[in-house]
Each structure stands twice: as C-alpha cells, then as structure tokens.
Amino acid sequence: MDELSPPQSTGSSPRNFSGKAFAEPVIQNAVMALCVILVMAPVAPLVLQAFSPVPLYAWRGGLTLGNFQNLFTLPEISDLAGNTLLFCAISITFSIVFGVALAIIVARTDIPARKLLTNILLWPIFVSPLVIGFGAILTYGPTGYVTSLFTHATGIANPWNIYSLTGLSLISGLSMAPMTILYCLSSAQQQDPRLEQAARVAGASPFRTMRRITLPMMRPALIFSFAMNIVAALEMFAIPLLLGGPSGIRLLTTFIYDKGFESGRPDYGLVSAASLILLVLVALLVLLQTFLLRSSHRFLSVGPKGGRMDVMGLGAWKWGVFAATLLYALFGIVAIVFGLFLRSFVLVLSPYISPLSVLTLKNYHDIWLDPTYRHAISNTVMLAIGGAFAGVVVTGAIALVAQRSNYRLRRVLDMMVQLPRAVPGLIVSLGVFYAVIFIPGLSLLSGTLWVLGLAYIVRHLPAGYGIIAPALLQVTKDFDRAANVAGARWSTTMRRIVAPILKPALLSCFTLLMILFFKEYAAAIFLYRPGNEVISMAMLNAWVPGYTGVVASLAVIQIALTTLLLVIFTRLFGVRLNG
Amino acid sequence: MADVLIENLCRKIGPLTILRDVSLSVGEGEFITLLGPSGCGKSTTLNALAGLDRPTSGRIAVGGRVLYDDKAGVFIEPQFRDLGMMFQSYALWPHMTVHQNLAFPLEIRKITGVAARSKIVEALNLVDMEKYAGRYPGELSGGQQQRVALARTLVYGPRLMLLDEPLSNLDAKLRDKARDWLRDLQRRTGVTTIYVTHDQTEALALSDRIVVMESGEIVQVGAPSEIYKTPATAFVADFVGANNIFEAKITGYSRDAATLVLADGVILKACVPSAHTVGSAAKAAIRPEQIIVLNDGASLQGDNIFEVQALGETYQGARHVLYFNLGGVKFSAERQEPIAPGQTFRVRLPSEAIRVFAHH
C-alpha cells in the first residue's frame, strides 16, 4: 500500500438537503392516529352510550345519568354485586393459594418430574376458559364421568354441585391458577438460592425458610399476580355463563351479556352503564398494580447469572408433596382435557355404558359435514394467522415510534397503547359493536372477519406491546445513532437496522398473538353473525341445544390446532414464550 | 477534510448546565482529544458535533458549512452532516456481515456495485480486516470489531471523524497496540479527528492537541507536552499524570520566586512564572518523578530539602513508589531501589518543578 488514498472523495460533495426529512413526521403521526383510533374506537361509543338517553343510532345530543339510575334501582342489583364479590373472593383465593404453592414446589423443591409437571400446570394458559368450562361440565357436572365414577364407587348421589356460585368460582379459580403459576414461576426461579441457604445454615427449617425468606422475596410477583387475578376474575365470563346460566346465578359480566342479548329491544343504556362500571373497576386495578409495582421492583433479587439453581430438599415431605402436586395436575387439568377427548369420540358418556362400545367418529364427521363448523375452523385459523400478522405490524410500528423516535408525543403513545389492558374482552366486543353502528362507513365491516380482527387486535395490543417493548429496550440505541450518523434517516434506520435486529421478538409476538386470537371468545361475542363464526362461537351455539359431542370435538380441534401451531413456532423458529 | 469551528456552545437540561461557553477551533487533519472525567461534557460536545444532541445555544461549523446556529435557527439532522462516528460499543449492526455493515452507508449515498465493493475493500485493507468481510460482528474478537467499526466510519470518506472512547472496551495490552495503530492510521488518512477519552495516557500519546474539560468548560488547550509540563490549573495538574498537591499559603513573593507555607509550618520555595498575591491561599503541585530521593546522610544540594520517614511503598515493576508525609499531606516519590520499613530519606523538591495555582 504505497499509494495511500483513503476513501474520502464521496464526502466532498455533501448531500445538500439541509432541512428535515419530512416523511418522518407523517409516518409517526399516522401511527399515533392509528393507535388512538384502535384504543378509542371501542371505548368512546361505549362511554357516550352510557350517558345517552336513547340508543346511539338515534342520538341527537343530550346527556343523562338515567342509565345509572336505572341500573342501581334494578331489584337484582344487590344480588349482582354480592355474587360478583363472593365470586372474586373464592376464585382469587383458589388461584393464588394453589398457584403460588405450585409455583414454588415446581421451581424450588426436589420433587421428581418437575419439568413435566411444570409443563402440565402451565399448559391451560393456551386454552380458553370456555374450553375449560365445557371440560369441567363433562368431568365434574352432575352427569360428568368423574362424578359418576365417584357415585358408583361410594354410593353418594350428587356429591357436589358445580352449578352453584361456589362451584363456578372454584372452576374459574382453576382456570386462573396457571396464570398465577406463570407469574410466580420466574420470580421463584430467579431468586438467589444463597439467601435460602443462609437461612438454613442459621437453623431455619425448610418451611420456615419458605415462609420467612422465599415468600417475602417474591412480593413483587405476588402483588402483580394478585392484581392480575382480580382483573381476570372481574373479566371472567365463559365459566359463569356456562355454569351460572342454568341456575340463574349472574355476575356483572353475565348480566351485561344477558341484557345485551335480551330478546326484543336490549336496553343499550343499561348495558353500557354496567360495562362502564366494570371498565372503571378494572382500570383502577390496573392503575393500582402499576403504581405498586413501580415502588417495589427495586427489591427484586436477580439471581446469579448462569449459576446452578439449587433446589430445596424436602426430606420426608418429598413424596407427600409430589403426590399432592400430581393429584392437582391429574384432577385439575388432565381429567378435564381427558373428559373432552373422551366425549368427542363417543356417542354418549355414561358410567353404565362402556365407552369402548359407543366409540365413534360421528362427532367429527358431523363437524366435517356442516359448513358452519368448517367455516368456523377455517375462520379461526385465518383470523389467528392474518390477525396476528396485522397485530405484529401495528404493535411493531407503535413500539418503534414510542421507543425509538424523537416524536414529540411518544410518551403519550407509550401510555395509550397500554390502555386496552383495562378493557375486558366483553367490553371491547360491545364497544366495537357500538362503533360499527355509530361510526358511518364502519357498518360495511359488520359481520365480517375484519371486525373480529379489529376487536382482537385492540384487545391484545398491550400483550403484543409487552413483548416487543422490553425486547427493544435490550437493543442499544448506538445501533440507531450509528446508522443516523452514517446518513440513514429514521424510517430507513427502523426498517433496515432495528426491525431486523428485533426479528426474534417480533416472531415471539406473532406466536403469542396467534395463540391469544385462537382462544379468544369474549371479544367476539357481540360481533358474531352467521358467516364470521369462529370456533369459540360455534361451541357456544352448539352447547345451547345440547350438541355436547360436537362441542367436545370442536374443543379438541381447537386444542390440537393451538398445540400444533405452538410446536411449529417453538421448535421450527425457535420462538421462546416467557410470560 | 475540514476545519471545525465551535463557538460559545452551551447545553442546558433544566437547571443543569452540561456545557458552558465551549469554543474551539480545530485545524484540517488535526487530531484533537477531549479529555476529562466522566460528566465533564466531552461526550456532549461530541454528540453536539454529530447532531445526536441539540445544544441550547452557540454555533458549530465544519469545513465552512454551518451545522448548528441557534441565532440563525439552523440544526442539521445527523444524517445530513456527513461525519463519521465511532461508538464506545462499536455499534456494529449484528444482523449484517462486515461487508454489509460497510455497504450500508455507501448505499445511502447511492454508491453500489463495483464502486462500493472497491471502497469496502480499500477501507478493510486500511484496517487489515479484508479477510473477514463475510463474518458477522458476533464472530469477531473485540479488537477486530474495533477495527471494523473504524473501517465503517472511514468507508464513505467523512469530512470529520468522531471517536467516542473507542479503546475503552479492549484489555490493557490490546489497548496499547490499538492506540499506536490508530495514531498511525490517522496520520496516513489525514482525516480530521476528534477523540473523546478520560484516559490521559491515550490523550498524551495520540493527540496533536489536548482539550482538557472540567464541569462543562474547557480549562486548557495545548500540545500534550504543554499540558503535561505546564498545567493551567490544579485540576489539570491532578488529572493529567500523577501529582502531589499541597494546600499552601503564599507568604513571600519576589521576582519569579515565591515562599509558601504548608499546613504544619513547612516552608517551600517555588519558581512562579505568573503573579500571585502575598497572603493568599494556593495549591502547590509537584510530580512524583521530579522529586529527588536519596538515602539519609547522602549529600544533597539546593532548596527544599527535607528529612522524611517512609510510610510505605508500592512496587510497580520498573520503579518503587514511596510514600512520605510532608506538610500534613501524604505525598509520593519514585526511586529504583526498594526500601527498608521505617527508613529515613533526604528528599528534595526542586523549586523549578513546583507549580503554584491560585485558589479560585
């Protein structure tokens, strides 16, 4: 290299666009507007309807508090509040007690088959409460196979009644427990085992250590799961509908559903007023949880990096604890899924007839022959894949503007996108339903998959954002700066540098949204019309006239497809879903 | 290549002043180092040059082109400044190969195909990394990443190269090598370079001129030897090279010499080039290597001779650093031989080696 001619000539004619690249604000404003529309579309019409004296389509201005007056003077209002409160207390207690205990057991003790048990215990996360509700009826209902076997063995008729407030609360608690386990699991796993060892060396027994060291150290996770459990309980809709409906037990959510579908002319004002109360309750809780977590995250102990997890020896208790965990997994999860499988392959399920003698594929054949069911399945798959794709694009764009630009409203955007966390699925459904009626032009979407896709995306926007935003925080901003200084503008930097680096997170987000969309039912409930049915809606519709076999088969198909998609994405694309 | 002109640059965040009236002129092809402790404003100055941070007021021009001027309302976005910047983290895009990393800035400048390839080969040759064009950044060692990052800033021939602590992520041995190599590269390319570091060794070895900064202000600008030999303030004396600093009071002042009294009454003579007031408080500084240490009893001529007991020593390979107590301050000196515990020495602090700084 005798002729040293550094590559320097390109700079000699500086690109003389001395001004701002004006495409950027246009894109950023568009993303902001999209987010506002998505978040506000379901909420704004609902709020307006709650204060409107007439249905929205006939609204000509004028506000009233009459809807709330009507609501609070209803004779059943005190029952409604009492039921909801009791329901929350029982289901949350069940979910927290079993969830926390199981999380600690599988994360921190030396019982055998911990990995397998963890997978089984977490698995119901991928299944909708609707499916769990059906499974519970087939298993523990008055004619459920476990109930029958129990009666057969002990001679006690009607040993329990799940069509009661306690029954439906316990089944709901069962469906909420996996969420508690998930939130507490990583917290339990991340703890520094030396803290516990120190307590043991100081002379504490394993249980004392757990009570005085392990549990207090998990406080942030406990607060978080407690708040999320209240939200989940307030939102819980499928199980109260299935189990409370026949016996006339109504909670806030099922009340909204019943009133919304009341024959003749539903009282929109009353429904909206009740929905608004639910919305405010959930929003307050989400706010409280955010506030509590902000002040408590600093005492999260992050364990030694890559260090070997030390488990706690339970000694003589080991096999007892193992048996208890196994029993929970068997009766709380395996039996229910097995009930669905069994029922889907037989004509009738009864202790007096051997299932082998009535073995059939007729249920699946019925589904195959009925275009409505075929439609429901293909619609669900399309909605899950297409909707998740759209969802990733929307959340990705929002995350990039909110976290990686100097857009002046980026903080507002960051908060805005998280708002739907406070909106229960049922309310999203109702709100989008009103929006379709109220906003001119949107009625074109009525009864299509698009309107369902819209509701699903709104409902799960925060979940998707919750995966992309933290991943984005891990990507150093030096990458953007380097591209910027090298001459790339914001949109180029996002498209060519940040988005490709973010690919694993985007894939995780896609997988999560796909699974959520697959199991979603509440957001679809008011938007369902013949033609845009999804599996969840088809199950509910088949349940009413008592096509139990078809319901069980649809549930099995939903479970199988979800599992298949999950396997494809976790194995083939190496997607990891942590939370 | 360009000359850089920074005039009265200020940066405030709320009540905090990060930069206060920073003015600096850099000649074409010059290697300038901004030196100072963390929080002194050196990185803010660099970011202001790159356009990554918008100053509160002032003016920046590179090669006659105004990049920032608050009065004229000019602020050129970073992507239009045509500068090269190398980050402390290197910021090599992990999803692109070395070749793609270098091709990206060229593509933005609409240089593709053969022209781009030859520029990339040329830039990689410059840093001896041509064999690694197909590798991803994750497959390179720290030193190799650093070279690629430098090649990426050079490939499009920027008018000015900004380096933000580029050697701080390398281990000590590699850092020494990379430093010499970087200096050599800058000489060969002749690109105007502004280098930010808190490491005085790097600053002394690399720079044509050093700019020492303290709490958002420039305290001294000068050639490395000038900064080392004649620090302008006690801060510079302390920050660049080791220094023993004594609190003192000026009791006498005549022509070029001053008499100082230290805390416990020790009297020190110093040659003072600038005027000081008698009776005022001051700081006196002397570098450890300029203190003459002899065994007790040896004959020693001149001023400022004291008899002191060694408090301890640190062995540093090439020399022994001894600690003494003088004027209520623990101070250090150097010598070749080890000491016996409690040994007494005769030390001389040559008056011409003592620098006196007035208290602010």
Side-chain angles (χ1 to χ4, degrees):
Chain A
M1 291 219 304
D2 45 2
E3 247 274 300
L4 285 173
S5 55
Q8 54 181 254
S9 49
T10 43
S12 58
S13 59
R15 298 166 309 138
N16 262 331
F17 359 56
S18 45
K20 289 192 176 184
F22 77 25
E24 324 291 50
V26 175
I27 299 172
Q28 291 161 355
N29 279 320
V31 169
M32 180 78 196
L34 179 70
C35 185
V36 171
I37 291 170
L38 284 178
V39 173
M40 283 306 156
V43 178
L46 185 85
V47 174
L48 190 58
Q49 178 66 82
F51 293 102
S52 161
V54 290
L56 271 191
Y57 51 78
W59 189 64
R60 274 177 198 78
L63 299 172
T64 172
L65 282 175
N67 294 321
F68 292 91
Q69 247 160 27
N70 291 346
L71 181 68
F72 287 115
T73 49
L74 281 180
E76 64 256 49
I77 193 73
S78 61
D79 272 356
L80 205 60
N83 282 348
T84 307
L85 218 62
L86 195 60
F87 166 80
C88 285
I90 297 174
S91 62
I92 293 164
T93 308
F94 183 95
S95 168
I96 292 278
V97 168
F98 281 91
V100 173
L102 289 166
I104 294 178
I105 287 169
V106 294
R108 303 308 313 270
T109 66
D110 60 346
I111 62 162
R114 289 191 305 149
K115 227 180 139 59
L116 179 72
L117 281 172
T118 311
N119 284 334
I120 294 176
L121 290 173
L122 284 180
W123 183 79
I125 288 205
F126 303 119
V127 183
S128 86
L130 196 63
V131 169
I132 292 176
F134 289 132
I137 292 173
L138 294 172
T139 314
Y140 299 111
T143 57
Y145 78 100
V146 170
T147 315
S148 306
L149 287 175
F150 188 83
T151 307
H152 202 64
T154 60
I156 305 170
N158 302 324
W160 50 69
N161 177 18
I162 62 167
Y163 289 100
S164 64
L165 188 59
T166 318
L168 70 90
S169 304
L170 287 177
I171 303 289
S172 298
L174 194 68
S175 82
M176 281 147 56
M179 180 185 74
T180 312
I181 298 176
L182 182 72
Y183 291 142
C184 293
L185 196 62
S186 56
S187 165
Q189 280 168 343
Q190 274 169 9
Q191 269 183 51
D192 189 343
R194 283 168 297 195
L195 295 173
E196 281 159 358
Q197 283 158 3
R200 296 297 301 277
V201 172
S205 69
F207 286 98
R208 197 189 186 89
T209 307
M210 206 164 270
R211 199 160 48 81
R212 294 295 301 278
I213 309 291
T214 314
L215 271 178
M217 288 293 298
M218 286 171 65
R219 204 177 300 162
L222 294 179
I223 292 172
F224 184 69
S225 9
F226 185 61
M228 292 317 281
N229 266 297
I230 304 179
V231 172
L234 280 175
E235 278 189 39
M236 180 60 73
F237 166 61
I239 294 170
L241 181 72
L242 293 178
L243 297 177
S247 43
I249 300 167
R250 282 203 290 199
L251 308 182
L252 196 49
T253 43
T254 43
F255 171 80
I256 292 169
Y257 174 77
D258 287 346
K259 286 283 169 199
F261 276 109
E262 221 161 44
S263 52
R265 288 174 51 189
D267 187 342
Y268 289 129
L270 194 69
V271 173
S272 303
S275 301
L276 197 61
I277 289 173
L278 181 60
L279 183 71
V280 169
L281 274 179
V282 176
L284 282 178
L285 274 164
V286 170
L287 210 68
L288 180 73
Q289 173 245 310
T290 316
F291 172 75
L292 283 177
L293 239 60
R294 180 167 298 153
S295 54
S296 65
H297 71 95
R298 67 178 79 108
F299 77 102
L300 250 174
S301 126
V302 177
K305 275 178 194 152
R308 198 168 49 87
M309 262 316 286
D310 256 348
V311 294
M312 204 185 302
L314 289 178
W317 291 83
K318 182 172 156 183
W319 292 104
V321 170
F322 174 65
T325 312
L326 199 64
L327 277 180
Y328 178 92
L330 277 181
F331 284 99
I333 296 160
V334 177
I336 288 175
V337 179
F338 181 72
L340 284 168
F341 266 86
L342 195 61
R343 183 62 189 85
S344 76
F345 286 109
V346 294
L347 286 173
V348 282
L349 194 56
S350 156
Y352 307 106
I353 307 166
S354 160
L356 290 176
S357 65
V358 284
L359 218 52
T360 177
L361 283 174
K362 183 179 175 303
N363 296 321
Y364 290 96
H365 194 69
D366 285 349
I367 291 175
W368 178 249
L369 286 183
D370 191 328
T372 315
Y373 296 137
R374 285 212 308 268
H375 240 108
I377 294 169
S378 64
N379 278 348
T380 307
V381 173
M382 263 192 324
L383 201 58
I385 293 176
F389 182 76
V392 170
V393 173
V394 172
T395 20
I398 291 173
L400 290 178
V401 175
Q403 308 257 332
R404 287 294 172 132
S405 76
N406 44 16
Y407 182 54
R408 80 209 130 79
L409 296 175
R410 60 184 185 278
R411 296 202 181 282
V412 181
L413 186 63
D414 180 65
M415 283 190 295
M416 184 75 79
V417 67
Q418 310 201 41
L419 280 184
R421 253 182 72 196
V423 190
L426 191 69
I427 308 297
V428 169
S429 189
L430 190 66
V432 171
F433 174 65
Y434 286 158
V436 168
I437 297 176
F438 189 56
I439 300 171
L442 271 190
S443 56
L444 281 175
L445 294 182
S446 176
T448 63
L449 279 184
W450 297 98
V451 77
L452 286 185
L454 177 72
Y456 283 19
I457 289 174
V458 172
R459 164 107 167 105
H460 296 296
L461 209 52
Y465 191 72
I467 285 199
I468 295 182
L472 209 47
L473 282 180
Q474 312 252 308
V475 178
T476 165
K477 282 190 176 155
D478 277 358
F479 290 143
D480 314 30
R481 293 198 190 102
N484 201 204
V485 172
R489 55 166 149 175
W490 182 78
S491 51
T492 313
T493 307
M494 291 303 119
R495 196 165 44 81
R496 296 284 303 277
I497 307 289
V498 182
I501 293 174
L502 209 58
K503 211 161 78 181
L506 293 174
L507 261 175
S508 298
C509 177
F510 178 77
T511 312
L512 177 79
L513 288 183
M514 197 169 61
I515 288 161
L516 289 174
F517 286 10
F518 226 99
K519 66 175 224 185
E520 182 60 58
Y521 64 97
I525 224 132
F526 287 100
L527 301 170
Y528 153 79
R529 300 285 175 279
N532 72 349
E533 52 273 286
V534 287
I535 297 180
S536 311
M537 288 299 106
M539 279 194 282
L540 262 182
N541 285 339
W543 183 258
V544 178
Y547 301 141
T548 320
V550 168
V551 172
S553 307
L554 282 171
V556 169
I557 289 172
Q558 193 177 27
I559 291 171
L561 284 175
T562 315
T563 313
L564 184 73
L565 288 174
L566 205 62
V567 167
I568 289 175
F569 276 85
T570 47
R571 294 287 143 77
L572 254 57
F573 300 114
V575 168
R576 261 188 270 142
L577 281 180
N578 297 324
Chain B
M1 298 305 119
D3 50 326
V4 178
L5 203 64
I6 300 174
E7 290 168 12
N8 304 101
L9 203 65
C10 291
R11 176 73 170 105
K12 295 192 179 84
I13 299 175
L16 277 168
T17 303
I18 313 286
L19 288 182
R20 187 179 292 129
D21 266 334
V22 168
S23 295
L24 182 68
S25 158
V26 183
E28 204 171 300
E30 212 180 354
F31 195 120
I32 288 275
T33 300
L34 304 182
L35 176 68
S38 63
C40 73
K42 56 190 192 302
S43 294
T44 310
T45 310
L46 203 72
N47 285 335
L49 273 163
L52 295 173
D53 184 62
R54 189 174 182 143
T56 319
S57 64
R59 188 171 178 276
I60 298 171
V62 174
R65 181 179 173 217
V66 177
L67 298 183
Y68 171 69
D69 188 342
D70 71 305
K71 287 197 192 75
V74 176
F75 180 81
I76 309 286
E77 294 287 330
Q79 75 251 39
F80 303 121
R81 295 197 174 195
D82 221 13
L83 309 176
M85 181 161 178
M86 183 174 160
F87 293 81
Q88 192 175 358
S89 63
Y90 310 141
L92 292 174
W93 303 306
H95 61 298
M96 295 179 174
T97 61
V98 167
H99 186 275
Q100 287 166 339
N101 260 282
L102 267 68
F104 184 69
L106 292 176
E107 188 195 312
I108 289 162
R109 288 165 176 76
K110 308 239 176 336
I111 301 167
T112 49
V114 184
R117 209 164 305 137
S118 78
K119 274 187 189 300
I120 292 168
V121 169
E122 205 174 350
L124 287 177
N125 263 327
L126 213 51
V127 298
D128 284 333
M129 288 294 291
E130 62 278 13
K131 288 195 204 83
Y132 299 90
R135 297 264 195 107
Y136 283 92
E139 299 163 356
L140 301 175
S141 72
Q144 291 170 331
Q145 286 181 19
Q146 186 245 352
R147 285 160 179 240
V148 173
L150 198 64
R152 193 180 67 184
T153 48
L154 285 171
V155 71
Y156 51 94
R159 5 205 270 144
L160 173 66
M161 185 158 70
L162 307 171
L163 306 176
D164 188 3
E165 310 221 6
L167 306 182
S168 60
N169 279 335
L170 302 178
D171 56 60
K173 196 138 191 176
L174 202 54
R175 199 181 311 159
D176 287 353
K177 238 176 103 181
R179 199 177 55 209
D180 296 343
W181 171 83
L182 186 66
R183 183 69 183 121
D184 180 51
L185 186 78
Q186 198 267 341
R187 292 235 167 88
R188 282 193 288 160
T189 57
V191 58
T192 312
T193 303
I194 297 181
Y195 185 100
V196 159
T197 185
H198 62 265
D199 184 326
Q200 39 114 359
T201 324
E202 280 174 24
L204 292 172
L206 286 167
S207 332
D208 293 323
R209 279 193 299 154
I210 294 176
V211 178
V212 186
M213 295 184 72
E214 183 195 6
S215 9
E217 281 177 294
I218 294 180
V219 282
Q220 192 176 8
V221 182
S225 60
E226 205 180 322
I227 299 276
Y228 190 82
K229 287 186 191 139
T230 55
T233 67
F235 169 80
V236 179
D238 193 30
F239 194 75
V240 183
N243 242 316
N244 297 302
I245 299 202
F246 303 97
E247 296 290 337
K249 196 172 174 181
I250 300 175
T251 54
Y253 183 72
S254 65
R255 295 230 306 205
D256 292 342
T259 313
L260 308 165
V261 179
L262 304 191
D264 57 357
V266 173
I267 292 169
L268 218 54
K269 288 222 179 303
C271 301
V272 183
S274 57
H276 289 275
T277 348
V278 173
S280 66
K283 279 182 175 168
I286 182 165
R287 296 198 182 275
E289 71 266 22
Q290 288 176 309
I291 296 175
I292 298 158
V293 182
L294 289 174
N295 287 341
D296 197 19
S299 76
L300 194 55
Q301 302 274 307
D303 45 15
N304 298 339
I305 296 174
F306 303 99
E307 209 148 286
V308 287
Q309 210 178 30
L311 299 173
E313 69 164 339
T314 311
Y315 179 51
Q316 295 194 339
R319 56 190 182 271
H320 294 260
V321 177
L322 320 182
Y323 300 102
F324 305 99
N325 193 327
L326 188 68
V329 173
K330 190 176 169 187
F331 77 102
S332 58
E334 291 174 2
R335 72 176 222 156
Q336 301 296 317
E337 305 85 34
I339 61 161
Q343 196 182 344
T344 316
F345 294 92
R346 284 172 76 79
V347 296
R348 179 175 169 237
L349 284 58
S351 58
E352 63 276 12
I354 297 176
R355 300 198 54 80
V356 179
F357 306 103
H359 256 300
H360 290 298

